[in-house]
Amino acid sequence: MKYQKSLIDLEREFVKRGIDFASIGFYDNPTFLKIERAQPDFLANYANYVNKRAYSPEYLQRAQKEIPFIAEILHSELVTDGRLGACVDASIGLSRILEKEGFWNYIVKGSLTIEFPTKLGIANKHFWSVDVLGENEIAAAHAWVVAPPYYVVDITVSQQPYQGSEKEHIPKFICSPKFETFEVVEIDLISPSASEIMTLEGIKGNKLIHIKKNYHDFIETFKPCLIELNGIKFKYITIGISAPDEPLEKVKTLKLSGKFPLEIYNALIKPKLGQFRAGKS
């Protein structure tokens, strides 16, 4: 699949395939789903469209204020519950909630490298997309949400199983409208143990091109994001695009303090967002 497509090319392809792309979450369209079942990477077209479509100044102004507000509420529920490593499930819940409030977004699957300043004496933390856990078992790395104008909305970055003093230096959550790009190196995506196995299997040279078809095209379309906060570098690398399988009403993979995402949305987010819009919070 070709990933680098202009907005015009994307719209032409949707029209040609009979996909109505006017509404948020049109990846739920039966025609879209049918194509995706035969061609899983087709979902990247939705993400590409979200990145390239035009947004009004009014939309961006509202999104800039409300997306972090929503993210913080869901993050607080995650902290209260105490669950760690819920990046996929939390991203699914956040994505559907943002859609309910009229915000275009998509879910990213990828790797995260956290580089601490030398003065802290803390080794870099890696969430590898390719990591061997057992018999050729590949680990799930990390997941986050892209919701323009925010390139990274990561509400679980601090709710991971850190060691030592690592967590003391991690922000509660990341919601960044700015980033720098960078050159991805092997250690950002592939663990040393997985790299060693790939070498033994005869894979030499640039191993990155073996982890995804059309790797260079994909990484050029969904650029790696470097975000620096308080001297700590967070290197987000997209490897795949994901989407919820169920509407918010049926999302049951995330349960925080006894509440599913729909209950959190109705009981907490909607009323607090209403107060926020009215200038009461």
Side-chain angles (χ1 to χ4, degrees), residues 1-15 19-27 32 41-55 59 99 103-106 146-148 221-222 241:
M1 169 173 164
K2 178 186 175 185
Y3 297 105
Q4 295 187 58
K5 299 176 183 177
S6 68
L7 180 61
I8 292 175
D9 287 340
L10 287 166
E11 291 179 346
R12 283 174 178 168
E13 181 160 8
F14 293 144
V15 170
I19 296 170
D20 181 356
F21 55 91
S23 301
I24 292 172
F26 66 82
Y27 57 83
F32 193 108
D41 269 1
F42 191 76
L43 186 59
N45 287 321
Y46 181 84
N48 207 359
Y49 180 75
V50 171
N51 288 340
K52 291 180 175 174
R53 73 182 302 279
Y55 297 96
Y59 175 96
E99 288 177 351
F103 295 117
W104 291 85
N105 74 90
Y106 60 91
V146 176
T221 302
F222 300 100
I241 307 300

Side-chain angles (χ1 to χ4, degrees), residues 87-88 91 107-113 126-131 138-145 154 184 188-190 211-212 218-219 222 224 235-242:
C87 59
V88 174
S91 294
I107 301 171
V108 169
K109 297 183 294 184
S111 289
L112 170 62
T113 295
H126 294 277
F127 298 87
W128 289 298
S129 289
V130 183
D131 193 10
I138 303 300
H142 197 47
W144 59 95
V145 169
D154 184 356
V184 179
D188 290 322
L189 287 177
I190 306 172
I211 66 175
K212 186 173 187 66
F218 184 86
I219 211 78
F222 300 100
K235 298 165 69 176
Y236 287 89
I237 306 156
T238 300
I239 288 300
I241 307 300
S242 185

Side-chain angles (χ1 to χ4, degrees), residues 8-270:
I8 292 175
D9 287 340
L10 287 166
E11 291 179 346
R12 283 174 178 168
E13 181 160 8
F14 293 144
V15 170
K16 182 179 70 175
R17 293 175 178 267
I19 296 170
D20 181 356
F21 55 91
S23 301
I24 292 172
F26 66 82
Y27 57 83
D28 286 326
N29 180 299
T31 302
F32 193 108
L33 290 171
K34 183 178 179 180
I35 297 169
E36 188 187 355
R37 281 192 289 270
Q39 187 183 347
D41 269 1
F42 191 76
L43 186 59
N45 287 321
Y46 181 84
N48 207 359
Y49 180 75
V50 171
N51 288 340
K52 291 180 175 174
R53 73 182 302 279
Y55 297 96
S56 69
E58 294 76 18
Y59 175 96
L60 292 173
Q61 185 177 34
R62 185 170 73 90
Q64 189 173 19
K65 294 177 181 179
E66 294 184 5
I67 290 174
F69 186 82
I70 293 169
E72 185 166 16
I73 294 173
L74 193 54
H75 165 77
S76 296
E77 287 301 297
L78 195 65
V79 172
T80 300
D81 179 85
R83 182 175 169 184
L84 301 178
C87 59
V88 174
D89 295 337
S91 294
I92 289 172
L94 176 61
S95 178
R96 283 304 198 191
I97 288 170
L98 290 177
E99 288 177 351
K100 280 284 188 182
E101 288 301 323
F103 295 117
W104 291 85
N105 74 90
Y106 60 91
I107 301 171
V108 169
K109 297 183 294 184
S111 289
L112 170 62
T113 295
I114 304 175
E115 295 183 352
F116 296 92
T118 305
K119 64 181 180 181
L120 293 179
I122 301 175
N124 293 342
K125 178 73 173 180
H126 294 277
F127 298 87
W128 289 298
S129 289
V130 183
D131 193 10
V132 179
L133 299 179
E135 285 290 328
N136 296 319
E137 186 178 357
I138 303 300
H142 197 47
W144 59 95
V145 169
V146 176
Y150 295 99
Y151 295 100
V152 173
V153 184
D154 184 356
I155 64 171
T156 68
V157 65
S158 63
Q159 290 297 105
Q160 300 296 328
Y162 293 108
Q163 298 178 347
S165 62
E166 292 173 336
K167 186 171 181 176
E168 297 173 15
H169 305 281
I170 304 295
K172 292 191 302 181
F173 66 96
I174 292 177
C175 197
S176 180
K178 298 179 181 179
F179 74 95
E180 296 178 20
T181 192
F182 62 95
E183 184 177 353
V184 179
V185 294
E186 184 179 303
I187 193 64
D188 290 322
L189 287 177
I190 306 172
S191 73
S193 56
S195 179
E196 184 178 351
I197 289 176
M198 292 172 77
T199 299
L200 292 173
E201 291 175 343
I203 299 175
K204 299 179 181 179
N206 184 2
K207 295 185 176 70
L208 296 176
I209 63 175
H210 295 278
I211 66 175
K212 186 173 187 66
K213 286 185 177 181
N214 299 332
Y215 167 80
H216 289 300
D217 188 30
F218 184 86
I219 211 78
E220 183 62 29
T221 302
F222 300 100
K223 296 184 183 298
C225 299
L226 170 61
I227 298 166
E228 187 166 348
L229 300 170
N230 299 322
I232 300 174
K233 295 179 179 179
F234 297 84
K235 298 165 69 176
Y236 287 89
I237 306 156
T238 300
I239 288 300
I241 307 300
S242 185
D245 292 327
E246 301 284 357
L248 182 62
E249 291 76 10
K250 294 184 178 181
V251 174
K252 304 297 183 183
T253 53
L254 183 70
K255 191 176 185 180
L256 303 176
S257 302
K259 299 188 292 292
F260 291 116
L262 179 63
E263 296 169 296
I264 295 172
Y265 174 66
N266 286 330
L268 296 175
I269 294 177
K270 278 185 70 175

